[in-house]
Amino acid sequence: MPDAVVLDGPSNLGLRPPAVGTVPGCYKLAGALRDQGFLGRIGAGDAGCVTPPRYDRGDWKPGDGVFNAASMAKYTVRLADRIGKLLDDDKFVVLLGGECSNLLGPALALRRRGRYGVVYLDGHSDFRTVDNDAYVGAAGGEALALVTGRGQDDLTDLEGLKPYVRDTDAVMLGYREDESYLDSLKAAGIPDWSALAVIDNPAVAAAGVLEHLERDDLDGFWVHLDVDILDAEVMPAVDSPDPGGLQHDHLRQLLRPILASPKCVGFDIGIFDPDLDPDGRYAAELTDTLVAVLT
């Protein structure tokens, strides 16, 4: 693995407010992990922060498309610019979010460079589109659809580079058995492993991912982690905690070989909400897992 650097991308633009008059607290994720000594423990350099725009849905209403889309598009370009420079310097980028729409930044950065895949680890497929749901608005629940070119052009076709990731170059792992958009995911031909499949044998799932993405026609791949892939019992500090997810040991076994691949160029982590972790217990456990898979 090249030298690692940690970049903060604390955007919460793609999530619904947790309550009236509040904003999603996932923008505090980076600070919470840094407070656990994350950078020093993985021996990473500090690449600073790409500060996001203000969270402001204004007079948005259902039917208006993705809220915060204009701000998100501008942020995506800025994030892609910073990540691109780090990759030019042969750095392995660890991006601390934020929420799942943060993936648009690295996806755009990599699309500028060539053909790259994505490993999408999430308790939900995030494959919601106007074609399979009446509600479209929160980009965090649509991120895999957006990076594969499904959705409004002001997010999916920045710089005329749609799609940032081809369907054939994506994999999805960790969804629960009641996943709403599984039919759409399978129709796209994106290989998938449910949470139960990963729990049954994380090593086999990781091997399947690498078999699919360590191909000569791909320049590399990026790994996206939504921590709600973990079971709600061990990770309740997320916007959509659900039972039936992975334990920390499953996640470690899954991530270690994937992140160790010479084809892996970066890793982003999102959705953890320190507002839901008042004593810091879940931040500590999450940091322990991330350190274990990165060292």
Side-chain angles (χ1 to χ4, degrees):
M1 182 183 292
D3 291 341
V5 294
V6 173
L7 174 66
D8 294 359
S11 171
N12 61 358
L13 296 172
L15 291 186
R16 306 179 200 183
V20 176
T22 67
V23 300
C26 61
Y27 72 93
K28 301 177 184 179
L29 180 156
L33 268 59
R34 285 174 176 264
D35 283 347
Q36 297 292 326
F38 178 62
L39 273 73
R41 292 170 65 185
I42 67 171
D46 191 342
C49 177
V50 181
T51 304
R54 181 189 300 274
Y55 184 99
D56 182 3
R57 300 201 306 171
D59 57 359
W60 178 91
K61 59 185 182 301
D64 289 345
V66 172
F67 55 73
N68 289 324
S71 295
M72 196 177 299
K74 292 177 182 177
Y75 187 66
T76 294
V77 172
R78 290 174 48 221
L79 194 55
D81 290 345
R82 182 76 69 87
I83 291 170
K85 291 177 181 177
L86 295 171
L87 295 173
D88 287 343
D89 291 336
D90 197 30
K91 302 298 185 183
F92 181 90
V93 181
V94 180
L95 175 64
L96 301 181
E99 42 79 25
C100 294
S101 76
N102 265 23
L103 180 59
L104 287 163
L108 177 60
L110 294 171
R111 178 67 179 87
R112 290 169 175 172
R113 303 170 72 86
R115 180 176 174 182
Y116 287 80
V118 66
V119 180
Y120 204 89
L121 305 172
D122 198 305
H124 313 86
S125 74
D126 290 353
F127 214 64
R128 181 175 63 222
T129 72
V130 293
D131 296 322
N132 61 25
D133 200 305
Y135 175 91
V136 172
E142 298 150 21
L144 183 56
L146 292 170
V147 299
T148 54
R150 296 166 172 85
Q152 57 200 64
D153 282 348
D154 58 349
L155 294 174
T156 63
D157 197 26
L158 293 167
E159 301 172 11
L161 293 176
K162 179 180 180 177
Y164 312 131
V165 179
R166 303 184 195 186
D167 292 346
T168 54
D169 303 340
V171 297
M172 198 283 137
L173 303 96
Y175 62 85
R176 308 303 200 261
E177 297 305 304
D178 60 352
E179 168 57 38
S180 299
Y181 311 112
L182 187 57
D183 288 347
S184 297
L185 190 74
K186 289 188 177 297
I190 296 174
D192 65 87
W193 288 261
S194 70
L196 289 182
V198 175
I199 291 167
D200 183 61
N201 198 323
V204 167
V209 168
L210 294 176
E211 181 180 7
H212 187 68
L213 294 181
E214 287 185 331
R215 311 191 317 255
D216 290 341
D217 60 335
L218 283 183
D219 296 305
F221 62 81
W222 183 276
V223 177
H224 164 78
L225 172 64
D226 177 338
V227 301
D228 73 13
I229 195 173
L230 293 164
D231 191 88
E233 183 178 339
V234 298
M235 179 47 72
V238 296
D239 67 315
S240 298
D242 288 314
L246 280 60
Q247 300 294 308
H248 279 279
D249 187 55
H250 299 134
L251 185 58
R252 293 183 187 196
Q253 292 180 59
L254 177 65
L255 274 173
R256 278 194 190 104
I258 295 173
L259 293 174
S261 169
K263 286 277 195 174
C264 183
V265 299
F267 178 36
D268 76 274
I269 303 102
I271 295 298
F272 173 68
D273 186 343
D275 286 345
L276 304 176
D277 182 29
D279 64 2
R281 167 190 169 186
Y282 301 113
E285 292 172 352
L286 175 60
T287 303
D288 287 346
T289 287
L290 295 174
V291 170
V293 300
L294 286 164
T295 57

